[in-house]
Amino acid sequence: MVKHMKSNRLPISFEFFPTKTEAGHEKLINVARQLAELGPEFFSCTYGAGGSTRDRTLSTVLQLDSEVKIPTAPHLSCVGDSKAELRELLTLYRSKGIRRIVALRGDLPSGMGLSSGELRYANDLVSFIREETGDHFHIEVAAYPETHPQARSFEHDLMNFVRKAKAGADSAITQYFFNTDAYFYFVERVRKAGVEIPIIPGIMPITNYSKLARFSDACGAELPRWLRKQLEAYGDDTASIQAFGEEVMTRLSEQLIEGGAPSLHFYTLNQAEPCLAIWKNLNGI
Ligand code: FAD
């Protein structure tokens, strides 16, 4: 049984992706309005590496920020974008009063080499944003408690994370994970390396087994055997998958909060219900 706890004061944030259609966009704004009721610290909106969603990310961020009235952070990735293109976006966001940004290397669609773009790694982008805009932006970077899938080793990846913090990142959001030990160990090692920035766990609600398995393979998040077996056993029974997923993610969130996580960042996949359900459980509502 999930032990419900009071955590009203825990800061939360929600991530969206820009949609391709007008109908999808309207739905996204509706979802954002529902989640805005929970008083999140910020929203964020993803960016297609190489600029594929440049205009849609921009317009979504500005609408969430000005109409839904939650400070919204654009994600910005450096592979595939020139310095001039990045500078232009930074200037635009700054002129619109945007104060937070999620700075990433990004993943280019297959076929485009990693060398496209003038900045190679996220630490280069963080340095560039600081050079161009000083302290204007609160910069978030990505963290990988289970190690980035292309990293040479855990230690090398940890060193590269430290590099991003030293380049000027203010806080970090993790890739999602289902093993809290990985998160706590990562945080401990970052602290031992002398870096004190908050490391916010990324929470992925479980709603669909095949999509989750595909995502997890691609991004290097481990789907533990017990979880996989249980989800497989539910087959097409979506209601049971969702109820089980809600319980698992509530429990994981509770463990993170009890262990000292500074905040929770939800990967909403543009859906309100799974996040609302976890939030209600956490708050005993
Ligand atoms: P980096 O920190 O640059 O690391 C990438 C790899 O290079 C790692 O293996 C690292 O160990 C290594 N490395 C880093 N720096 C150096 C260096 N100086 N020298 C040698 N090796 C180095 N992707 C998108 O395309 N759009 C998004 O909007 C988006 N949002 C995300 C949000 C979050 C919270 C997270 C966790 C990921 C997101 N991603 C997004 C995915 C991300 O872009 C990919 O995981 C990408 O492969 C790595 O990006 P990064 O910023 O972590 O890269």
Side-chain angles (χ1 to χ4, degrees), residues 225-246:
R225 180 181 162 84
W226 67 271
L227 197 52
R228 205 158 25 91
K229 286 285 173 197
Q230 186 81 6
L231 290 168
E232 268 169 13
Y234 286 127
D236 293 334
D237 181 355
T238 314
S240 296
I241 291 177
Q242 288 176 356
F244 172 69
E246 183 187 317

Side-chain angles (χ1 to χ4, degrees), residues 1-109:
M1 269 299 285
V2 172
K3 177 168 61 74
H4 298 306
M5 61 189 294
K6 289 259 176 233
S7 56
N8 309 34
R9 287 165 192 272
L10 183 84
I12 47 172
S13 52
F14 296 107
E15 180 175 311
F16 303 102
F17 59 85
T19 63
K20 290 191 176 136
T21 62
E22 193 48 44
H25 182 73
E26 266 175 42
K27 184 177 162 258
L28 159 60
I29 297 299
N30 258 331
V31 164
R33 287 192 201 285
Q34 290 177 64
L35 295 174
E37 297 289 318
L38 309 186
E41 199 184 1
F42 67 93
F43 285 156
S44 80
C45 181
T46 63
Y47 183 78
S52 59
T53 66
R54 190 188 320 262
D55 294 344
R56 285 182 284 129
T57 298
L58 176 69
S59 59
T60 306
V61 165
L62 297 183
Q63 192 176 358
L64 290 173
D65 195 80
S66 65
E67 286 177 30
V68 186
K69 303 208 181 308
I70 299 294
T72 302
H75 293 209
L76 188 57
S77 66
C78 60
V79 279
D81 274 28
S82 66
K83 284 187 182 178
E85 287 165 320
L86 293 168
R87 185 177 293 119
E88 195 186 324
L89 268 178
L90 289 171
T91 306
L92 197 57
Y93 282 128
R94 196 176 176 182
S95 72
K96 300 287 184 189
I98 299 295
R99 299 303 298 251
R100 186 186 295 257
I101 216 150
V102 183
L104 304 146
R105 182 196 74 181
D107 285 321
L108 281 181

